[in-house]
Amino acid sequence: MSRQRVRRLVPWIAAAAVLAACSGPGSDEPAKTESPGAQGTLESVAVVTHGSAGDAFWNVVKNGAEQAGKDLGVRVDYNSSGDPGQQAKLIDNAVAQGVGGLVVSMANPDALRTSIEKAVAAGIPVVTVNSGENESAAFGAITHVGQSETLAGSNAGKRLADAGKKKLLCVIHEAGNIGANQRCEGATKAFGTGTTLQVDINNPTDAQARIKGAVEADRSIDAVLTLNSQVAARAVDAVKEANSAAAIATFDLNADVVAAIKADKLLFAVDQQQYEQGYLPIVLLKLYQTNRNTLGGGAPVQTGPAFVDKNNVEAVAALVSRGTR
C-alpha cells in the first residue's frame, strides 16, 4: 500500500477508533432509563393517608401538601382510606404509575410494610407522616414528619393533672390506630391513673352515648381526653347531658373546638400542626431528589405538640377557618 493511500485512510481509522471507544463493548444494549426516584428532578408525589374523606384534620394535611406542590412546581395526588388494605392498594397503584415520591401515614404499619418496601425497592423515596414514627426508618423511609404521640399524650396528661384533676377517661375513636393507643398510654402514665373507652368515629351518636354512659357510671371521672376534634364536640354534649363537672380536653383543632375553648367548655387542644405534615414532606422530597438532603439525622421531624387554650385561641381561630391549622 502506498504512503499516499495510508495518509488518506488515517482520518477514517481515527474516527472509527473514537466511535468504538465511545460506544464500548455493550453499545448494542438498550440505554438504561432512570428510576422514578432518580436524582435531579421531582415531578410528582403521591400522598396516601389513613384519613377519611371530608375529615377536618386530614383536609388541613391535604391543603398543606397541595400548597407545597404549587409552591415547588410538583404535581401532588392526594388519596386516603381508613381501611389499611385499601390504603396498601393505593400505595401499590402509585408505585405502578412511577410516581416520583411517596408520602404515607401509617396508622397500621404492619399492613403497609410490604407496599412501602416495594416503593423503596423501586427507587421511590418515601416520607412517613403522622403515625408510624417507630417503624418509619425500618421500612426504608428517608424521614418521618409528625409529633411523638406518646410525648404528646404525656404532656396532655400532665396538663390535666396540673389542673387538679384526679381521674381520667381517655376516648379512643379508631380501633387499631397505633397512634391513638400511644396517646392514651402517654396521657394515663403522666396523669397517674385513668381508663380508656373505645368508640367509633363513624358513629358519632353512639360515641356520644358511650361517653355519657361512662361518666354517669363513674362519677369520680373528672377529666375526659378525646383524641379527635370531631369526637371532642360529642364529648362536650355527653358530659353536659350526664350532669358531670368533668373537664374536657382534646387532640386537634376544628371550628367547634375553637368555639368550645372560647366558651370555656374545653380546657385545651393539643395541636400537632398538621398543615406542616402535608407541606414539609413535599419540601423534603424535593430537596432529597435535587440535592440528596435529608432532615432529622435519623430522628423524626416534630410538628408538635403545641397547645391551644384560652390564652392563644383568638390568634389561631382565623387560621383554623382558613384551613391551615
Side-chain angles (χ1 to χ4, degrees):
M1 184 181 294
S2 67
R3 290 183 180 179
Q4 185 177 2
R5 187 177 180 186
V6 168
R7 284 197 298 271
R8 286 199 303 268
L9 289 174
V10 164
W12 296 100
I13 294 170
V18 170
L19 287 172
C22 290
S23 59
S27 60
D28 57 336
E29 294 179 3
K32 293 181 179 179
T33 58
E34 292 185 332
S35 65
Q39 182 178 357
T41 61
L42 180 65
E43 296 181 356
S44 63
V45 172
V47 182
V48 183
T49 74
H50 66 274
S52 302
D55 181 276
F57 177 92
W58 290 105
N59 280 344
V60 176
V61 176
K62 181 180 180 182
N63 290 344
E66 292 181 342
Q67 186 60 54
K70 292 176 183 177
D71 292 345
L72 299 174
V74 177
R75 187 180 78 251
V76 173
D77 297 317
Y78 183 98
N79 288 284
S80 64
S81 176
D83 176 75
Q86 182 60 31
Q87 193 184 1
K89 289 180 180 178
L90 290 171
I91 296 170
D92 293 339
N93 289 342
V95 173
Q97 292 166 9
V99 69
L102 188 62
V103 180
V104 182
S105 67
M106 301 195 299
N108 191 324
D110 290 342
L112 305 182
R113 179 168 194 157
T114 299
S115 295
I116 291 173
E117 289 179 343
K118 284 180 180 178
V120 173
I124 300 172
V126 178
V127 174
T128 58
V129 297
N130 186 261
S131 299
E133 170 189 330
N134 294 336
E135 293 79 11
S136 178
F139 289 8
I142 61 173
T143 195
H144 178 83
V145 178
Q147 72 176 3
S148 170
E149 302 292 18
T150 302
L151 174 63
S154 178
N155 287 355
K158 186 176 184 302
R159 274 191 168 229
L160 289 168
D162 290 345
K165 305 307 172 183
K166 302 301 182 184
K167 189 166 185 179
L168 172 67
L169 175 69
C170 191
V171 183
I172 297 177
H173 61 279
E174 207 170 49
N177 185 328
I178 189 171
N181 292 329
Q182 290 169 342
R183 288 177 180 182
C184 277
E185 288 167 4
T188 301
K189 184 175 181 180
F191 189 83
T193 182
T195 186
T196 60
L197 174 67
Q198 180 73 58
V199 301
D200 182 0
I201 191 173
N202 297 311
N203 191 341
T205 302
D206 183 66
Q208 181 172 325
R210 287 177 179 271
I211 297 169
K212 176 186 175 183
V215 294
E216 282 180 334
D218 186 351
R219 289 290 176 180
S220 66
I221 293 173
D222 58 358
V224 176
L225 178 64
T226 65
L227 311 181
N228 173 275
S229 56
Q230 292 168 284
V231 178
R234 294 292 177 165
V236 168
D237 291 340
V239 167
K240 181 180 179 181
E241 290 175 359
N243 294 317
S244 170
I248 306 166
T250 190
F251 278 69
D252 304 332
L253 294 169
N254 65 9
D256 290 336
V257 168
V258 167
I261 293 174
K262 288 182 178 181
D264 291 320
K265 295 178 180 179
L266 272 174
L267 198 57
F268 61 81
V270 184
D271 179 18
Q272 59 179 305
Q273 303 180 109
Q274 69 270 30
Y275 187 83
E276 294 180 338
Q277 295 177 21
Y279 196 100
L280 291 179
I282 312 302
V283 176
L284 295 177
L285 288 168
K286 179 79 170 182
L287 287 171
Y288 181 79
Q289 290 292 57
T290 60
N291 207 44
R292 279 301 184 260
N293 289 129
T294 58
L295 200 62
V301 178
Q302 299 284 354
T303 66
F307 288 87
V308 177
D309 57 21
K310 196 78 169 179
N311 296 319
N312 62 351
V313 67
E314 290 292 348
V316 174
L319 303 175
V320 172
S321 299
R322 193 174 71 183
T324 59
R325 285 294 287 273

